[in-house]
Amino acid sequence: MNEKRECKFDTFEGFAEKDVAKDTAFSFAKAGDYANTSVRLVMSKMPNPEQVRVHKGYFPDTTKELSGKERFCFVNLDMDLYEPTYNGLLYFTARMSAGGVILIHDYFADNFKGPKEAVHRFLKENQGSYQIFPIGDGISVMLVKSEGV
Ligand SMILES: C[S@@+](CC[C@H](N)C(=O)[O-])C[C@H]1O[C@@H](n2cnc3c(N)ncnc32)[C@H](O)[C@@H]1O
C-alpha cells in the first residue's frame, strides 16, 4: 500500500544531554529546553491527525519505528542543534523522493549555529550532490538534490 502520512520526530522532553554536550561551540542550549510540550498538545493542533504519526524519543533512534522503505517529499529539520541536524540530513537525504525538499530551520540563526555547521559538513561530504537555497524567511535554507546525480 502507498500510504501518505506525516511523521513527527521529537523527544517531547526537550534537548538531549548528549546533543547539548556536543553543541557548546554553537549555542547555549541546555538539556531539557523545549520540554514544555506533549504529544497530546501537538496532536490537538493537527487539522488531519489521522494522517500524522508521532515518533516520540531520541532522533535518530526513533527511526527504528519505521519500516525503512518510506520515502519523503518534504522534510522540515528544526532541531536547533548540530548533532540531530547532521543525523537528520544523513537519514532523510537517503530516503527522499525525486524532487523532494529538505528545509533546515535556524541556518541563519545567531543563537543556534549548529544547523549551519551540520549543513556545511554534509555538503562538503557530498560535494556537487545538493544545491542550497535561502527560502526567504531570513532563517531557513532548503536542500535539493542536484539534477543528474
Ligand atoms: C525549536 S523546537 C521546534 C519544535 C517544533 N518543530 C516546532 O516547530 O514547534 C526544537 C525541537 O527539537 C527537538 N529535538 C532536538 N534534538 C532532538 C533529538 N535528538 N531527538 C528528538 N528531538 C530533538 C527538541 O525536543 C525541540 O522540541
Side-chain angles (χ1 to χ4, degrees), residues 9-16 19 33-34 57-59 78-81 84:
F9 297 91
D10 204 297
T11 61
F12 291 89
E13 295 173 356
F15 297 146
D19 290 342
D33 285 352
Y34 292 107
Y58 184 78
F59 178 91
D78 183 15
M79 294 190 278
D80 294 357
L81 308 182

Side-chain angles (χ1 to χ4, degrees), residues 57-143:
Y58 184 78
F59 178 91
D61 295 354
T62 44
T63 61
K64 293 185 186 125
E65 296 166 7
L66 279 68
S67 75
K69 294 180 183 160
E70 292 83 3
R71 290 293 171 267
F72 300 88
C73 61
F74 178 74
V75 173
N76 180 22
L77 291 180
D78 183 15
M79 294 190 278
D80 294 357
L81 308 182
Y82 174 84
E83 188 74 4
T85 302
Y86 179 70
N87 285 331
L89 290 169
L90 291 184
Y91 183 80
F92 290 110
T93 53
R95 294 167 176 81
M96 296 305 287
S97 52
V101 169
I102 301 184
L103 192 147
I104 301 102
H105 197 251
D106 291 314
Y107 178 92
F108 294 110
D110 290 332
N111 53 340
F112 290 110
K113 297 186 190 298
K116 184 183 277 183
E117 286 291 325
V119 167
H120 287 188
R121 176 180 170 191
F122 177 81
L123 290 175
K124 197 172 171 188
E125 292 169 347
N126 295 276
Q127 282 188 9
S129 299
Y130 291 86
Q131 291 184 281
I132 179 170
F133 301 94
I135 68 158
D137 66 350
I139 198 152
S140 309
V141 292
M142 67 178 194
L143 289 189

